[in-house]
Amino acid sequence: MRILIDTNIIIHREANRVINEDIGLLFNWLDKLKFDKCIHPLSIEEISGYQDENVVKTMKIKIDNYNQLKTESVDDQLIRQIRQTDNSRNDFIDTSIVKEVYNNRVDYLITEDRGIHRKANLLGCSEKVFKIDTFLEKCIAENPELKNYQVLAVKKEYFGNININDVFFDSFKQDYDEFENWFNKKADNISYVCITDGNVKAFLYLKQEDKNEIYNDIEPSFPQKRRLKIGTFKVTSTGYKLGERFLKVIFDNALQYNVEEIYVTIFDKRDEQLRLIYLLEDWGFRHWGTKTTDNGVEQVFVREFKPTPNLQQPKLSFPAVSKNTRKWIVPIYPAYHTELFPDSILNNESPQDFSENKPYRNAIKKVYISRSINRNLNGGDLVLFYRTKFNGPAHHTSVISTIGVVENVVTNIRDENHFIELCRKRSVFDNEELKKHWNWNKYNRPFIVNFLYIESFPMPKVNLKKLRDLNILQDAPRGFEPISDVKFEQILIEARANESYIID
């Protein structure tokens, strides 16, 4: 397996001081799996022009640790078209790097560069281009016996019960002189934390603010609104989609407190901060301005919480969805139900069996594989998931458990390998199971529905008996079945759904 590694990752890996601890975990996996670590010849040119002379000297010594690509593939028409938009030498090099995975000279490319990821989308090879965290997810999903963590659970915890001396908090201490004092004063406040083997992997503190909050240090000034402030937020790369899991916590709190906006103030000095900014931007946060403090100037990012639903890119307005779309109901077997929707756990299932030790459990973005006759779903369509019978008659144990919103549908799948690559980042299935799905019927290949997980309905959930009594459904759905607006409304009422995320 040949893995092409982008320039900045190599620079940070070989620097004399640790800049990005996540890169150490990445290279640990690359070594474990005996992957061939490759470097593009133009990356060496970039490194030679790096401002830090110590890094350049170190890299010239350590460059033999990588397999330098001996040749470059030829530019085809699509590559030449992309080069027309390159405005600098760096842009040109980025195109040359992504070209090698596009032309199958290497198996995968790992890069944190958003521009390269955009080019991969244009070239139709985005499933082979990974960020550090998503590549770790791939490694864990395909090699579960080699994963470092058995359980990664997010829980509420008082500040006072968390070890402030954990190295996780060192970056906060560097950025904020008053951090330790502030942290100790919050001893009786609730935070969200993920602790594994005694080490903190992620931390989140949220603060509800009313319309009377004063924002003298933010420019431009905030208008009066009910807001949720992301007070402290950090996630280390583990390959378990903790960033998405914590985003779900943020959005759930915003729903609970019925706020108008969510905002965060954050420095943009380190890679970990930039990655967090990119994650927030991917989910609809936009740069507002700056906050000036004694510690320096922070960037301010704001997200309208209930914007007009974006049907083409639902995650930009998540969890806000539109009523003016089609509605579907689809079955899901018990064996996969709580694997995909841990928050939908039912009374007859054991919580101990569903700790968040697999990437897809933490994700908001998920995959549903189907051979349904109906394949014409669109972005923004709403889907109700019907868990089929479990240890009892369908009448009582089949239930409507969860609602999601469609991102997109993929029907143009080239072959088995392409199918596995498209599913790998979000699916409950391992590679062998995915192969079985693909080959089950060669005359009816599966398609993929990418969707966002919005809400698990409270217990008790609406079962088949109730659906029959209300004349909503008589039998379990087979594939994606459309339902009327009237029946959809009935289900939401019976399910006691939090309809505040549904925008007229």
Side-chain angles (χ1 to χ4, degrees):
M1 187 76 72
R2 285 159 56 86
I3 313 296
L4 183 59
I5 303 171
D6 191 22
T7 313
N8 285 336
I9 293 177
I10 293 173
I11 288 173
H12 292 163
R13 164 66 174 174
E14 304 300 351
N16 288 325
R17 62 187 181 88
V18 176
I19 301 175
N20 183 348
E21 294 178 6
D22 305 331
I23 291 175
L25 183 57
L26 168 66
F27 275 74
N28 181 262
W29 272 101
L30 293 174
D31 291 338
K32 256 195 250 187
L33 298 174
K34 297 180 170 55
F35 287 161
D36 189 4
K37 299 184 284 289
C38 299
I39 184 172
H40 196 283
L42 290 179
S43 289
I44 298 173
E45 174 189 316
E46 282 191 298
I47 291 166
S48 299
Y50 200 68
Q51 292 180 348
D52 190 328
E53 292 183 5
N54 291 326
V55 170
V56 175
K57 290 178 182 177
T58 302
M59 279 302 305
K60 286 181 178 178
I61 297 171
K62 296 183 177 181
I63 203 70
D64 288 339
N65 293 331
Y66 301 88
N67 178 19
Q68 182 179 337
L69 300 185
K70 303 298 188 298
T71 60
E72 284 192 58
S73 56
V74 177
D75 287 10
D76 66 8
Q77 183 176 353
L78 189 52
I79 293 292
R80 288 194 294 271
Q81 184 178 333
I82 288 177
R83 288 209 189 276
Q84 290 177 6
T85 64
D86 290 343
N87 296 316
S88 66
R89 180 63 178 171
N90 284 340
D91 291 342
F92 179 90
I93 292 174
D94 288 348
T95 301
S96 296
I97 287 173
V98 75
K99 177 181 65 169
E100 299 310 310
V101 71
Y102 165 66
N103 283 325
N104 296 313
R105 291 286 187 94
V106 294
D107 296 288
Y108 299 110
L109 166 63
I110 303 175
T111 177
E112 295 287 304
D113 190 299
R114 290 164 72 82
I116 292 180
H117 282 276
R118 283 193 292 270
K119 289 178 178 182
N121 278 324
L122 293 172
L123 291 168
C125 62
S126 60
E127 71 273 9
K128 294 183 178 182
V129 181
F130 292 81
K131 297 177 183 176
I132 293 173
D133 206 45
T134 55
F135 192 79
L136 293 175
E137 291 162 22
K138 172 183 168 62
C139 292
I140 290 165
E142 294 176 356
N143 304 276
E145 73 282 359
L146 297 178
K147 64 188 178 187
N148 294 327
Y149 312 119
Q150 294 304 311
V151 176
L152 275 172
V154 177
K155 64 178 182 177
K156 287 185 177 181
E157 186 57 89
Y158 290 108
F159 274 68
N161 291 332
I162 300 170
N163 178 18
I164 192 175
N165 294 316
D166 192 298
V167 295
F168 177 90
F169 295 108
D170 286 353
S171 59
F172 290 113
K173 295 173 185 176
Q174 293 168 15
D175 288 341
Y176 304 99
D177 295 336
E178 71 282 3
F179 181 77
E180 287 192 62
N181 186 45
W182 172 85
F183 194 97
N184 289 327
K185 285 184 177 181
K186 295 288 183 184
D188 292 336
N189 287 67
I190 288 290
S191 67
Y192 294 87
V193 66
C194 174
I195 299 177
T196 300
D197 299 329
N199 299 315
V200 180
K201 298 296 177 186
F203 182 87
L204 170 68
Y205 169 63
L206 298 172
K207 180 188 175 190
Q208 185 183 1
E209 297 178 344
D210 61 27
K211 292 183 177 181
N212 297 318
E213 190 77 24
I214 298 173
Y215 303 102
N216 290 337
D217 49 3
I218 291 179
E219 180 64 34
S221 60
F222 274 169
Q224 289 186 327
K225 287 184 180 180
R226 296 186 311 278
R227 292 185 174 86
L228 184 69
K229 179 182 180 180
I230 303 173
T232 308
F233 187 22
K234 179 181 174 181
V235 176
T236 57
S237 289
T238 61
Y240 288 88
K241 288 191 179 293
L242 286 179
E244 278 191 35
R245 184 69 180 95
F246 275 79
L247 277 175
K248 185 70 163 61
V249 170
I250 293 168
F251 293 137
D252 286 348
N253 274 270
L255 272 178
Q256 178 184 344
Y257 296 128
N258 194 30
V259 301
E260 299 169 81
E261 276 186 355
I262 310 170
Y263 80 100
V264 62
T265 66
I266 184 172
F267 287 113
D268 55 358
K269 299 184 291 189
R270 288 191 298 274
D271 281 359
E272 68 182 44
Q273 294 163 335
L274 292 175
R275 286 207 311 278
L276 181 56
I277 288 171
Y278 296 155
L279 174 69
L280 293 170
E281 287 180 332
D282 286 344
W283 289 86
F285 284 79
R286 293 293 173 260
H287 188 258
W288 172 270
T290 58
K291 176 181 178 179
T292 303
T293 71
D294 293 339
N295 298 294
V297 177
E298 293 181 274
Q299 303 304 313
V300 181
F301 290 83
V302 172
R303 189 189 196 273
E304 182 184 353
F305 184 56
K306 293 180 184 177
T308 302
N310 188 321
L311 302 185
Q312 283 69 44
Q313 295 179 281
K315 70 178 184 178
L316 295 180
S317 54
F318 180 88
V321 294
S322 173
K323 277 188 176 180
N324 302 316
T325 60
R326 290 178 301 174
K327 289 86 177 176
W328 307 84
I329 186 167
V330 68
I332 183 168
Y333 292 118
Y336 309 120
H337 170 265
T338 310
E339 285 284 308
L340 204 56
F341 307 120
D343 293 341
S344 292
I345 194 164
L346 305 179
N347 285 340
N348 50 8
E349 297 168 325
S350 170
Q352 286 73 30
D353 294 336
F354 297 103
S355 296
E356 286 81 351
N357 61 350
K358 295 179 181 176
Y360 54 77
R361 289 183 184 165
N362 286 318
I364 299 174
K365 300 165 64 174
K366 298 178 186 285
V367 154
Y368 186 93
I369 298 167
S370 179
R371 286 186 174 78
S372 174
I373 295 173
N374 291 314
R375 301 185 174 211
N376 59 332
L377 288 78
N378 296 316
D381 285 0
L382 299 176
V383 179
L384 294 170
F385 290 88
Y386 172 96
R387 198 208 67 173
T388 56
K389 67 178 182 177
F390 181 80
N391 291 342
H395 204 56
H396 297 290
T397 63
S398 299
V399 297
I400 301 284
S401 73
T402 306
I403 184 171
V405 58
V406 175
E407 272 200 296
N408 55 65
V409 177
V410 184
T411 57
N412 184 23
I413 305 173
R414 295 189 295 271
D415 53 31
E416 180 186 277
N417 288 335
H418 189 212
F419 175 69
I420 292 171
E421 287 172 348
L422 290 170
C423 293
R424 180 67 281 143
K425 296 179 184 179
R426 305 191 190 185
S427 177
V428 303
F429 302 112
D430 62 26
N431 286 6
E432 291 306 312
E433 289 174 306
L434 289 171
K435 289 177 183 178
K436 290 177 183 177
H437 275 280
W438 178 256
N439 293 302
W440 184 72
N441 183 348
K442 66 179 181 180
Y443 300 107
N444 183 22
R445 298 292 191 189
F447 65 99
I448 297 168
V449 178
N450 293 307
F451 71 96
L452 306 180
Y453 164 44
I454 296 175
E455 182 193 18
S456 295
F457 300 134
M459 296 289 293
K461 300 183 190 295
V462 180
N463 60 21
L464 182 57
K465 180 182 184 306
K466 189 67 174 179
L467 294 169
R468 284 169 171 165
D469 290 345
L470 295 172
N471 198 31
I472 294 173
L473 204 66
Q474 293 304 314
D475 295 299
R478 296 177 180 273
F480 284 91
E481 293 187 3
I483 59 171
S484 68
D485 291 347
V486 172
K487 289 184 176 181
F488 177 78
E489 288 287 350
Q490 281 183 288
I491 291 173
L492 292 187
I493 292 170
E494 292 296 327
R496 305 177 312 287
N498 180 356
E499 295 190 54
S500 63
Y501 53 78
I502 300 179
I503 310 298
D504 290 327

